[in-house]
Amino acid sequence: MISIFYLASLALIAIGLYIVISKKNLIKIIIGINMMDVGVNLLLISIGYVYGGTAPIENANYAKYVDPIPQALVLTAIVIGVSVMALALTIVIGIYRKTGSIELDEILEVEE
Amino acid sequence: MMWDFLMHNSPALIIAVPLFAAFFTPVIGRFSKKAMYAWVVGAMIFTEFLVLILLYTVYTYGTQIYVFGARPYSMAIPPDSGGIPVRIIFTVDSMSVFMAFIAATVGLAGAIYSVACEKGQSGQEKYYALVLLMIVGMLGMVLTGDMFNFFVFLEINSLASAALVSYRINKGVSVEAAFKYAVVSAIGALMILFAIGILYGEYDALNMAMIASRMQFTTLDKIAMALILVTLAMKCGSIPMHFWVPDGYGKAPGAISAMLVAASQASLYGLFRMCFTVFGLAASHITLGYFLIILGLISMFVGVTMALVQHDIKRLMAYHAVSQTGYMLLGVGVGLATWGTPAFSQYGFAAMEGGIFHIINHAMYKGLLFLTAGAVIYRVGTSDLNKMGGLAHSMKYTTIFFIIGALSIAGIPPFNGYASKLMIYESVYQFNPLLAVIAMIVSILTLASFVKVFHSAFMGPKIYPDVKEVPKSMLAGMAILTFFIILFGIFPQLAITYLVQPAASALANPIGYISRVLGGGP
């Protein structure tokens, strides 16, 4: 059951990596990084998931709790992912103002 | 009382002081620029002081652990946790504090140098805040003993570095270099997080010592190991993954290039830490050792040959940084390949010492060379060697500093590059003579390349009549690094006894590291 999550997260990471490698548009590259981020976060969350478990707060109706540590990790990783995105987008704005383009092959002609 | 407080809490304060200073810098910068300079330099001097205290503590009392949120702060495993270290633990052994010393010293020199160099720029508050954050990232990476914490500090470091590379945003190429650096380091950090997820899923732990002690070395572990090692090799700029280095180092402001060298070395520390401590007990030493040796050889040779043809002063130095990283990988790789065999005590340990000694020497002389390149660009306004010339007439001190740095990187006595390169040659020759011969050829090519730079930038007729010597604070930044170059060059035994040998023996002793955290050891 859980292996579906693993496969999905691996697929997200692979798709994201493919986008980063193959696309020439800077915004699309950032979207690719974000997809990888989501994939890794999904992997972390699904490692800590217990089937039928509930949030790790004392509750008489449930016997199983999910692992809270991956959730804390993912919260941190989401924040870091957002800051990476924000920085990358800022840099893209800088590139666009300087060169008037966000396509990699056009930027390389403008360089120097 | 005060002394005890500083001594016990120095691992936490080393992170807390620059972090607090970083977020307070823009506030002070609102009121007075002079107060801001004093604040930043003061924070860096205090951090350096704390690092020296920690250096003394670790040298005297052995590996220190600092557990955040625990009382007493040295209680790694709470009695009710079932033998699992639940909190974030800083494990500071001699290797960590050695790297922290490098990061703090280069950071201090960079901060002092920036005061004059960036005076005319706008957005200085953000610049200094990011500089301090970058130093926090480096110091955190080398002090932490927790995998996830390592990832967080790696990201702090990469984000601040990428933002600083793009600081000269009015020049389009620097923004493009920053985008490359940001993308590469973001993907690298995600791969490390992926590997951390795998390791956590298998061993239920994030602490490096705990993971190392539970290591089964299954197929999943091999995947995690490959992800972590390749990413860290990329972040330290070894050859097949070096493409961001010439752009990143070459386009950043002078002080930032020098600090990027120290940041790459924090990643190099991560690579060695993972190879020795986390995976070292389970994985094959021969395979890992040859991985490092081959990376080192390719980096050394390709880096220097690429550098010979460059005509941009900072791009040339960036390729030399790649080439010099190869020496460290070679030295420590030979140590790892012979680890556990009788050869280790014969020459393997000496090779490790040479590689580790080269880390600090490289940070000092390459930092100095980048600072002199920054000084030249500050006065001349171009980084193209073909357009420079005759600067020795008017920039006397910069020329002297450049000569010292260039002789040191080429391994000429009595400077520090000679001391560590000789240790590497001697020990690697016993491992395989061919490797030592290649290392010597690379050293000669390095000298050739720097003779070219010296001749085209500083010799010849006076092309720029109105160039003056750079301001005093820039010279002070260079002088700090020169002091260590000459000190370690004339008294290498001083550095080896107090810094290098403890670091090498700490790195070669993962069982001591693990038992210090998990209890049962000194």
Side-chain angles (χ1 to χ4, degrees), chain B residues 111-122:
Chain B
I112 294 177
Y113 179 91
S114 300
V115 169
C117 187
E118 311 298 336
K119 205 157 216 157
Q121 308 281 334
S122 60

Side-chain angles (χ1 to χ4, degrees), chain B residues 113-145:
Chain B
Y113 179 91
S114 300
V115 169
C117 187
E118 311 298 336
K119 205 157 216 157
Q121 308 281 334
S122 60
Q124 286 186 46
E125 301 90 351
K126 293 149 206 154
Y127 176 87
Y128 286 107
L130 285 167
V131 164
L132 287 169
L133 276 181
M134 191 174 160
I135 292 165
V136 171
M138 287 187 247
L139 290 171
M141 274 169 80
V142 300
L143 293 184
T144 188

Side-chain angles (χ1 to χ4, degrees), chain B residues 22-204:
Chain B
F23 289 106
F24 232 77
T25 304
V27 180
I28 295 177
R30 290 261 148 199
F31 300 109
S32 154
K33 283 276 182 297
K34 282 223 170 91
M36 184 181 74
Y37 300 144
W39 170 259
V40 172
V41 174
M44 277 318 300
I45 290 174
F46 189 44
T47 313
E48 175 86 30
F49 173 65
L50 288 168
V51 169
L52 289 177
I53 291 180
L54 189 60
L55 198 66
Y56 169 76
T57 320
V58 172
Y59 185 77
T60 318
Y61 303 106
T63 307
Q64 300 290 307
I65 56 174
Y66 189 88
V67 187
F68 282 89
R71 182 176 284 260
Y73 63 90
S74 58
M75 185 179 63
I77 302 171
D80 55 347
S81 73
I84 297 173
V86 289
R87 295 188 170 96
I88 292 175
I89 300 175
F90 272 17
T91 317
V92 189
D93 66 1
S94 304
M95 184 69 194
S96 313
V97 77
F98 170 76
M99 297 301 299
F101 175 68
I102 296 173
T105 310
V106 177
L108 176 64
I112 294 177
Y113 179 91
S114 300
V115 169
C117 187
E118 311 298 336
K119 205 157 216 157
Q121 308 281 334
S122 60
Q124 286 186 46
E125 301 90 351
K126 293 149 206 154
Y127 176 87
Y128 286 107
L130 285 167
V131 164
L132 287 169
L133 276 181
M134 191 174 160
I135 292 165
V136 171
M138 287 187 247
L139 290 171
M141 274 169 80
V142 300
L143 293 184
T144 188
D146 184 283
M147 292 289 256
F148 190 75
N149 214 236
F150 182 79
F151 160 76
V152 171
F153 282 117
L154 181 78
E155 275 285 25
I156 292 176
N157 186 3
S158 327
L159 278 173
S161 311
L164 282 169
V165 170
S166 70
Y167 178 60
R168 298 268 163 83
I169 202 160
N170 51 343
K171 294 184 181 148
V173 279
S174 72
V175 197
E176 206 223 314
F179 187 77
K180 196 185 263 181
Y181 184 71
V183 168
V184 163
S185 53
I187 293 172
L190 281 176
M191 287 304 160
I192 286 189
L193 185 60
F194 185 24
I196 291 171
I198 293 173
L199 291 174
Y200 179 78
E202 274 191 289
Y203 303 120
D204 227 7

Side-chain angles (χ1 to χ4, degrees), chain A residues 10 20 26 29 33 36-37 40 43-44 47 67 69-70 73 76-77 80 83-84 87 91-92 95 98 108 111-112, chain B residues 148 151-152 155 159 162-163 169-170 172-173 175-176 178-179 182-183 186-187 190-191 193-194 197 200-201 204 206:
Chain A
L10 286 178
V20 173
L26 298 184
I29 291 177
I33 293 176
M36 286 175 74
D37 203 10
V40 174
L43 179 90
L44 277 172
I47 283 169
D67 187 352
I69 292 179
L73 302 188
T76 318
I80 291 173
S83 24
V84 170
L87 178 72
I91 294 174
V92 169
I95 292 178
K98 209 67 209 168
L108 292 176
E111 196 188 336
E112 301 294 338
Chain B
F148 190 75
F151 160 76
V152 171
E155 275 285 25
L159 278 173
I169 202 160
N170 51 343
V173 279
V175 197
E176 206 223 314
F179 187 77
V183 168
I187 293 172
L190 281 176
M191 287 304 160
L193 185 60
F194 185 24
Y200 179 78
D204 227 7
L206 290 167

